[in-house]
Amino acid sequence: MVARVTLAEIDTVRMPLAEAVGVFESRIAPALREQGGFEGVYALATPEGKALVMTLWRDAETAEAGLASGLYDEQVEQYVAFFRSPPGRELYEVVHAETPAGAAA
């Protein structure tokens, strides 16, 4: 499994955090679910607008496919006017994963 991690900072004056989460849940998460090899996503945020989005993929090829197809850029475009700076992105191999039983998604 591979994790693609995006770090961003949302300007919460221009887009309140709740609105940013709503855009993620209504537009971005459904588009991710349609991608081959997609295995899950975690989105984390601070009240100040710092965000970390970790998408999980079957392998590096499927993680990179969304980048090559332009899907990643299309999703980032939905927030571009609200970022304090361009988001950063990295690819990691998942070397250990453990989710508490009954954890809410």
Side-chain angles (χ1 to χ4, degrees):
M1 182 179 348
V2 171
R4 188 172 66 212
V5 177
T6 299
L7 296 171
E9 196 166 350
I10 296 166
D11 184 339
T12 56
V13 172
R14 290 188 278 169
M15 177 181 262
L17 187 57
E19 186 178 336
V21 171
V23 169
F24 184 86
E25 292 175 340
S26 66
R27 298 182 195 166
I28 296 173
L32 288 168
R33 287 186 209 109
E34 293 177 5
Q35 301 306 298
F38 175 75
E39 295 193 355
V41 61
Y42 287 93
L44 295 79
T46 68
E48 298 80 26
K50 290 183 180 179
L52 181 150
V53 177
M54 180 175 58
T55 53
L56 301 170
W57 303 88
R58 180 178 53 242
D59 51 38
E61 291 76 24
T62 56
E64 295 291 340
L67 301 175
S69 73
L71 176 72
Y72 179 86
D73 291 332
E74 289 173 17
Q75 301 309 317
V76 168
E77 184 68 27
Q78 296 182 58
Y79 288 98
V80 75
F82 307 105
F83 285 139
R84 289 193 178 136
S85 60
R89 181 184 69 231
E90 302 229 3
L91 200 63
Y92 295 85
E93 180 178 345
V94 177
V95 295
H96 178 86
E98 193 170 322
T99 304

